[in-house]
Amino acid sequence: MRRSERKRERPDLGILSGRTLFSLQKELFTRLSELGHADVRPRHGAVLAYLDAEGSRASDLAAQSGQHKQVIGTLVDELVALGYVERRPDPADRRAKLVVPTERGLDHMEKSDAVLVEMEAEHARAVGEEAYAEFKRVFQLVAERSAGPA
């Protein structure tokens, strides 16, 4: 059996994770585009998915997303230009900056959360509530194990 046939018939964790991620991103960003956020791209999720409404340090966003600080800096620059975030002094440490969502950023975050809730409900209906809950429980365990100690 050729490798490509084997991978189609018995996809490994990497292939399944990739398919899941790319499918989720495609649907999420299509829906967000329809809701007025056509300028945000999947790469911006490394910031927006982890951003606190009160603001987050870029170093925390990098740690949570698994991206390098330089990548996060570039993405923050793009999101500032698009009007989704702004940099402000961190009240806890004036030398540090916080990445803070603007009204547009907060709107995106709220709509993104709502779309993801809808998508999860659709998956749960398709495969069954119990099966989906177990899938998420196990998937979280695998993700946590893969990430290693915090």
Side-chain angles (χ1 to χ4, degrees), residues 14-26 123 135 139:
I15 290 172
L16 291 172
S17 297
R19 284 182 190 165
T20 302
L21 174 63
F22 299 138
S23 173
L24 179 138
Q25 286 179 333
K26 182 178 180 183
H123 289 307
F135 160 75
F139 197 64

Side-chain angles (χ1 to χ4, degrees), residues 19-36:
R19 284 182 190 165
T20 302
L21 174 63
F22 299 138
S23 173
L24 179 138
Q25 286 179 333
K26 182 178 180 183
E27 185 171 351
L28 174 63
F29 286 89
T30 297
R31 290 189 191 188
L32 287 171
S33 179
E34 294 165 357
L35 295 170

Side-chain angles (χ1 to χ4, degrees), residues 36-98:
H37 295 284
D39 47 358
V40 176
R41 299 290 174 257
R43 68 181 176 270
H44 295 130
V47 172
L48 293 172
Y50 300 96
L51 186 61
D52 290 329
E54 306 79 35
S56 303
R57 287 187 180 182
S59 58
D60 292 334
L61 296 171
Q64 290 177 305
S65 68
Q67 297 290 326
H68 292 284
K69 284 197 289 189
Q70 294 85 349
V71 172
I72 295 299
T74 299
L75 295 172
V76 169
D77 289 343
E78 291 175 9
L79 290 166
V80 166
L82 292 169
Y84 285 87
V85 300
E86 58 189 17
R87 288 182 174 94
R88 292 187 193 158
D90 185 342
D93 180 354
R94 286 291 191 194
R95 297 168 298 167
K97 295 281 187 196
L98 286 180

